[in-house]
Amino acid sequence: MPELPEVEAARRAVADNCVGKKIKKAIVADDSKVIDGVSPKDFEAALVGKTIVAAHRKGKNMWIELDSPPFPSFQFGMSGAVYIKGVAVTKYKRSAVKDTDEWPSKYSKLFVELADGLEFSFTDKRRFARVRLLENPVSMPPISELGPDALREPMTEDEFCNSLRKKNIGIKALLLDQNFISGIGNWMADEVLYQARIHPLQTASSLSKESCATLLKCIDEVTDFAVEVDADSLRFPIEWLFHFRWGKKPGKVNGKKIDFIKAGGRTTAYVSELQKLTGNQAVKETGKRSKRSTSGKGGSADESGSEDEPTEPKVVKGRKTSSGRNASSKKRYNASVEDTDGDEDEDNNDVPSKSKRGAKKPPAKSKLKGGKNGDSQRQTRGKGGAAKRNHEESDDDLSNSSGNRVEDEEEEA
């Protein structure tokens, strides 16, 4: 799914091209799975005539500040993306809408035309995103429940190390927990653990102070660099695991074999030769594959499709060996890669889940409803005609169990 760098690239594009302009027209999709808690007509009426003041982001959530509330808020989910007509915006590969497609796209969930003629759209091909209309996004779920932003609110070394000492869970599961630190998803977690030479199943509390410091440094480096290049994966250093981790295919990074395991309920790429368990503790992954979906109540939803249901970790014996580190390189990657197309599973839960398990719901149809005219932050299937708005994915979901704070939708690496 789009992670912090991709969402930050979208925020910047909106800030650079739309701030100070009045909304002339809005068209909101009649899709209650994505458009959360408000009718398309009411959503449109709340936008038209308003002026865009700023675009903000925390973790993997973005919201647009208008000259008066309420404000549109976007939880990008698995394939959410921002498009601005005539403007290049970095986006997650699987989110991509072709330039030759109709405009606005049939996958558009919110389309806006500004007074100067500029048009932008938020699309979601797989319908795991959530678009909300909130009076104060910062004080409401899901944003209010997020931990420190990995880019704008970096922890100090002491804060980070002290926090890890209290966490008797696997380090990757902890990195995916958006309440612990927000913005890090599956590819980022794999990358920083590879760079820091830490095994994904290493118990967080068992990490040495040196390993904690190294991990924090790698989080900062990977985040800063990915944001600096606007999440353009072709510009990521060739030494990064990112370029070789997709599709669970046999491969090597820097001459070392890539292995795949489950960590934090997610398919995880790592280099066993370099990322070795240290001390005598590691978590053991257990659990069965399940279906989950949103409860539709505020930010408490686990808006995923298929994933592995995480369970309480068990401590098992590990092998003792030394741990090293590898700082991220600034060397550019010039070869063509399909940067995220191998991300096959839903990677979308940004907040704790509090919903109860429910029954299956039938597929929901989505169509566009016609509209009526009436901060400075740290950088970086069915047959038919074109008028039908059908979805690639069926809405086959169950409400998820309570108490899950980890972003646990499995991503096929």
Side-chain angles (χ1 to χ4, degrees):
M1 69 173 288
E3 301 183 20
L4 188 156
E6 291 87 4
V7 179
E8 176 63 14
R11 186 204 66 79
R12 288 182 177 183
V14 173
D16 292 344
N17 294 277
C18 305
V19 167
K21 300 178 181 180
K22 181 175 289 189
I23 298 174
K24 176 182 178 182
K25 179 180 181 181
I27 303 177
V28 177
D30 187 7
D31 183 354
S32 60
K33 182 180 180 184
V34 177
I35 308 301
D36 188 6
V38 59
S39 71
K41 180 181 291 187
D42 289 344
F43 205 134
E44 292 161 3
L47 300 186
V48 174
K50 302 286 186 66
T51 298
I52 296 176
V53 174
H56 304 281
R57 179 198 57 76
K58 183 165 184 178
K60 293 176 277 185
N61 292 260
M62 183 185 83
W63 66 100
I64 297 176
E65 181 182 349
L66 306 178
D67 53 5
S68 65
F71 307 142
S73 172
F74 308 87
Q75 192 171 358
F76 278 55
M78 184 178 179
S79 59
V82 169
Y83 290 85
I84 302 177
K85 195 171 185 179
V87 177
V89 183
T90 300
K91 57 194 71 68
Y92 212 56
K93 173 120 178 127
R94 76 176 316 135
S95 308
V97 174
K98 297 178 182 178
D99 293 337
T100 55
D101 288 351
E102 61 185 306
W103 178 266
S105 166
K106 63 182 179 180
Y107 302 111
S108 177
K109 302 304 173 184
L110 172 62
F111 167 80
V112 170
E113 180 184 347
L114 302 176
D116 67 347
L118 188 69
E119 299 174 348
F120 72 87
S121 172
F122 179 82
T123 68
D124 181 24
K125 293 178 69 174
R126 303 197 62 171
R127 302 174 64 225
F128 293 106
R130 295 295 178 269
V131 180
R132 303 177 175 96
L133 197 59
L134 304 176
E135 288 290 323
N136 184 4
V138 175
S139 66
M140 301 176 70
I143 296 166
S144 65
E145 299 180 356
L146 298 177
D149 184 83
L151 176 68
R152 299 196 317 269
E153 303 166 307
M155 298 185 198
T156 66
E157 186 175 311
D158 286 342
E159 289 172 338
F160 188 68
C161 292
N162 289 335
S163 295
L164 292 188
R165 290 194 190 101
K166 303 173 185 177
K167 306 295 183 179
N168 194 34
I169 64 172
I171 186 59
K172 177 165 181 180
L174 183 60
L175 293 178
L176 294 178
D177 183 349
Q178 300 300 292
N179 296 115
F180 177 71
I181 184 169
S182 61
I184 296 177
N186 210 27
W187 80 253
M188 288 185 70
D190 283 358
E191 190 65 55
V192 299
L193 290 172
Y194 166 70
Q195 301 268 348
R197 301 300 191 251
I198 295 173
H199 194 287
L201 295 179
Q202 185 78 42
T203 305
S205 60
S206 71
L207 290 172
S208 67
K209 185 173 182 180
E210 179 183 2
S211 293
C212 290
T214 298
L215 178 57
L216 179 60
K217 185 174 187 295
C218 291
I219 290 173
D220 292 342
E221 288 179 346
V222 169
T223 303
D224 289 347
F225 189 86
V227 168
E228 179 186 337
V229 299
D230 281 331
D232 181 355
S233 61
L234 295 179
R235 299 170 65 188
F236 290 174
I238 195 171
E239 292 86 359
W240 279 19
L241 177 67
F242 179 95
H243 302 294
F244 312 99
R245 67 179 293 279
W246 307 97
K248 294 197 291 188
K249 300 174 182 177
K252 294 183 177 181
V253 55
N254 300 321
K256 308 294 185 182
K257 180 185 174 183
I258 300 172
D259 293 311
F260 297 91
I261 56 172
K262 279 289 183 354
R266 308 286 297 283
T267 298
T268 297
Y270 81 114
V271 178
S272 57
E273 184 177 343
L274 301 176
Q275 297 169 256
K276 298 180 180 181
L277 290 169
T278 63
N280 62 353
Q281 289 189 347
V283 294
K284 179 180 180 181
E285 288 288 315
T286 61
K288 296 182 179 180
R289 194 169 180 81
S290 66
K291 296 272 188 178
R292 299 170 186 260
S293 76
T294 178
S295 66
K297 296 181 181 180
S300 300
D302 179 348
E303 300 141 2
S304 64
S306 61
E307 73 260 329
D308 283 356
E309 184 170 353
T311 59
E312 291 299 319
K314 297 181 180 180
V315 176
V316 297
K317 291 286 183 178
R319 50 183 175 177
K320 190 171 183 179
T321 146
S322 60
S323 173
R325 66 177 291 254
N326 181 36
S328 50
S329 168
K330 300 295 182 179
K331 183 175 181 179
R332 304 291 180 174
Y333 179 72
N334 297 317
S336 174
V337 295
E338 293 188 359
D339 55 308
T340 53
D341 207 28
D343 179 5
E344 288 300 327
D345 289 308
E346 290 65 52
D347 180 10
N348 185 28
N349 180 30
D350 292 333
V351 295
S353 166
K354 301 172 185 173
S355 62
K356 296 181 179 180
R357 194 167 297 279
K360 283 189 176 181
K361 299 178 182 179
K365 293 184 179 180
S366 169
K367 58 183 178 180
L368 287 178
K369 179 178 176 65
K372 295 181 180 180
N373 288 341
D375 80 79
S376 177
Q377 299 180 0
R378 180 179 170 185
Q379 286 299 319
T380 120
R381 199 150 58 107
K383 300 179 181 178
K388 291 186 178 180
R389 300 297 189 253
N390 293 329
H391 302 288
E392 289 185 340
E393 297 295 317
S394 64
D395 183 7
D396 179 15
D397 52 283
L398 290 175
S399 294
N400 64 310
S401 58
S402 64
N404 174 29
R405 297 181 26 171
V406 180
E407 180 190 338
D408 62 353
E409 301 79 353
E410 180 197 359
E411 171 184 345
E412 293 296 341

